[in-house]
Amino acid sequence: MTKQPNKFMLVIAVLLACFSLTSCSTQSKTSAPTKTPVTTTPTSDTQFLMGTVCTIKIYNKHQQKALKAGFNRIKELAAQTTVNQKGSEIDKINRYAGIKPVKVTPTIYRMCKDAYHYSKISAGTFDLTIGPITSLWRIGFPDAHKPKASTIKKRLPLVNYRNVVFNDQKRTVFLKKKKMMLDLGGMAKGFISDEVMKVLQKKGVTSAIIDLGGNIYVLGNSPTNNSNWTVGIQDPSAARGDAIGSLPEKNATAVTSGIYERYLKVGNKIYSHLMNPQTGYPCQNNLLSVTIIAKRSTTGDGLSTAVYNRGLKKGYSYVEHLSGVEAIFITKKKKVYVTSGLKHKFKLFTDNGYQLAKIKTSN
């Protein structure tokens, strides 16, 4: 996973209403069998990991050990997935590209297969083999630059998820061509967020917020009302923490891809960090951001860039045909479009200049 300050996700603020606790959260089907009382004062910590700010807030009492275990899981998986650290499992797969398959741990094997799955269902608008291109542009790093067109053209054939071979029996990953590179930065935080959620649940946690650089997962009920959390959607044109609207959610994730937070400016032109795997250049369309709402952060992460790459109309249509996935699109003209499952849930704040709009469809 490429270590970068805040991948292509905008911060999503989780807003808690100031009400007293009425009762304990009910245990979800996936929660650990033992649980502790819920409180409005969380056990929390914030650490800088994976090149971003990571926060875990647990609203069950006496869960310091769960908090520590959650951060340990982040560190463990971050070390295994980074492409900027020699010795990581992803680095080893890349080093043996075109040479031999590499056996990996069960967790990293699942992560790679998940990344392949979202590459496949998105028809390559998300591609786990984007490494040869992201390593060229280096957007988000001090040495970011616009590569020569000839260099991009030379590397582009290396980007093709179909050239990743998995062996389930041997648990190996093989890149068919030399100099191919996996870069799981497009979905690693989502996968890790889901893994942290599992750790917390095994420890008996029933109410928590996991925030990995703006990749938000809300677990269980909010302690303020024993019901949904209020998730605020970041204004992509304002300071972090300013929301354009909100929606109620629980046991769900909100993941955003956008262009304003990390970019490269060359002359008068702005190049986003969101790469188009088909062209080798940053995406160019009318969107400021896309937020994916789903039950798994892996899903949100795997789809957010793919949907953004498709633009408003094609991205909207794509999400509408997916089960259990919704999206919020924000355009450069400050128009907000929400998919059908959010039309009666999303609340747009009226004082920020944004307007709700509808997709125009042709018969």
Side-chain angles (χ1 to χ4, degrees):
M1 178 182 64
T2 303
K3 279 190 177 180
Q4 296 177 350
N6 270 340
K7 186 182 86 58
F8 33 91
M9 285 180 280
L10 313 177
V11 170
I12 305 171
V14 176
L15 311 173
L16 294 177
C18 298
F19 301 109
S20 60
L21 178 64
T22 57
S23 63
C24 294
S25 300
T26 56
Q27 184 178 343
S28 69
K29 291 182 180 180
T30 56
S31 296
T34 57
K35 60 181 180 180
T36 53
V38 178
T39 175
T40 52
T41 304
T43 300
S44 66
D45 192 14
T46 297
Q47 298 183 23
F48 190 79
L49 302 168
M50 302 185 293
T52 192
V53 177
C54 300
T55 299
I56 300 175
K57 295 181 180 181
I58 299 174
Y59 289 86
N60 295 82
K61 293 182 178 180
H62 315 303
Q63 287 289 357
Q64 288 81 4
K65 289 184 179 179
L67 182 67
K68 183 177 180 181
F71 274 105
N72 285 343
R73 188 61 169 155
I74 296 173
K75 294 172 185 176
E76 175 189 11
L77 292 176
Q80 292 173 350
T81 56
T82 178
V83 297
N84 292 324
Q85 179 178 315
K86 289 185 178 181
S88 75
E89 293 194 58
I90 300 302
D91 173 68
K92 188 174 182 181
I93 293 171
N94 291 343
R95 282 191 290 113
Y96 284 100
I99 301 173
K100 68 176 184 178
V102 174
K103 186 173 183 178
V104 294
T105 58
T107 301
I108 297 305
Y109 191 73
R110 284 193 293 111
M111 183 186 290
C112 290
K113 291 209 75 173
D114 275 350
Y116 182 90
H117 169 73
Y118 290 106
S119 299
K120 184 177 181 179
I121 68 169
S122 70
T125 49
F126 167 85
D127 196 309
L128 77 163
T129 64
I130 194 66
I133 298 300
T134 55
S135 63
L136 264 185
W137 287 83
R138 299 279 294 172
I139 296 177
F141 291 92
D143 58 344
H145 66 285
K146 180 184 177 183
K148 293 181 179 179
S150 58
T151 306
I152 295 173
K153 185 177 180 180
K154 184 178 180 180
R155 289 202 182 188
L156 203 54
L158 298 173
V159 181
N160 190 336
Y161 69 91
R162 299 174 186 85
N163 289 327
V164 183
V165 179
F166 296 94
N167 186 313
D168 291 345
Q169 188 174 19
K170 296 181 179 180
R171 209 173 64 233
T172 60
V173 183
F174 177 55
L175 307 182
K176 287 184 178 181
K177 295 183 178 182
K178 288 186 177 181
K179 297 185 179 180
M180 281 184 69
M181 291 177 62
L182 298 183
D183 185 343
L184 303 187
M187 61 152 281
K189 285 197 295 185
F191 184 93
I192 293 172
S193 179
D194 288 335
E195 289 296 301
V196 172
M197 182 268 291
K198 294 176 186 177
V199 168
L200 298 187
Q201 287 185 314
K202 287 180 181 179
K203 297 289 185 180
V205 173
T206 60
S207 179
I209 301 169
I210 303 166
D211 179 354
L212 305 188
N215 183 323
I216 304 292
Y217 190 94
V218 286
L219 173 64
N221 290 329
S222 166
T224 60
N225 57 11
N226 198 35
S227 186
N228 291 316
W229 303 84
T230 301
V231 179
I233 305 303
Q234 172 71 33
D235 181 346
S237 299
R240 185 172 299 174
D242 289 347
I244 67 158
S246 65
L247 68 159
E249 290 292 346
K250 65 178 176 180
N251 296 321
T253 191
V255 181
T256 304
S257 284
I259 64 172
Y260 76 101
E261 205 163 38
R262 279 195 296 111
Y263 57 85
L264 170 67
K265 187 173 183 180
V266 180
N268 293 323
K269 190 160 186 177
I270 299 294
Y271 293 95
S272 161
H273 69 291
L274 297 175
M275 293 291 164
N276 185 329
Q278 278 77 44
T279 66
Y281 286 85
C283 303
Q284 297 290 331
N285 58 41
N286 62 337
L287 293 174
L288 279 178
S289 67
V290 173
T291 298
I292 299 294
I293 309 297
K295 292 301 181 183
R296 295 179 66 221
S297 277
T298 305
T299 302
D301 232 350
L303 291 177
S304 60
T305 301
V307 172
Y308 180 92
N309 280 351
R310 291 169 182 262
L312 176 60
K313 290 187 176 181
K314 290 182 179 180
Y316 188 97
S317 176
Y318 178 72
V319 173
E320 286 288 76
H321 288 85
L322 295 175
S323 176
V325 178
E326 303 295 340
I328 300 169
F329 298 79
I330 303 177
T331 72
K332 295 174 181 177
K333 293 184 178 181
K334 306 193 83 172
K335 302 289 186 180
V336 180
Y337 299 81
V338 300
T339 50
S340 56
L342 298 180
K343 287 182 179 179
H344 300 295
K345 296 175 63 176
F346 178 73
K347 177 183 178 182
L348 180 69
F349 300 154
T350 58
D351 58 351
N352 50 34
Y354 289 88
Q355 292 181 330
L356 279 173
K358 294 182 179 181
I359 292 285
K360 295 181 180 179
T361 58
S362 58
N363 295 326

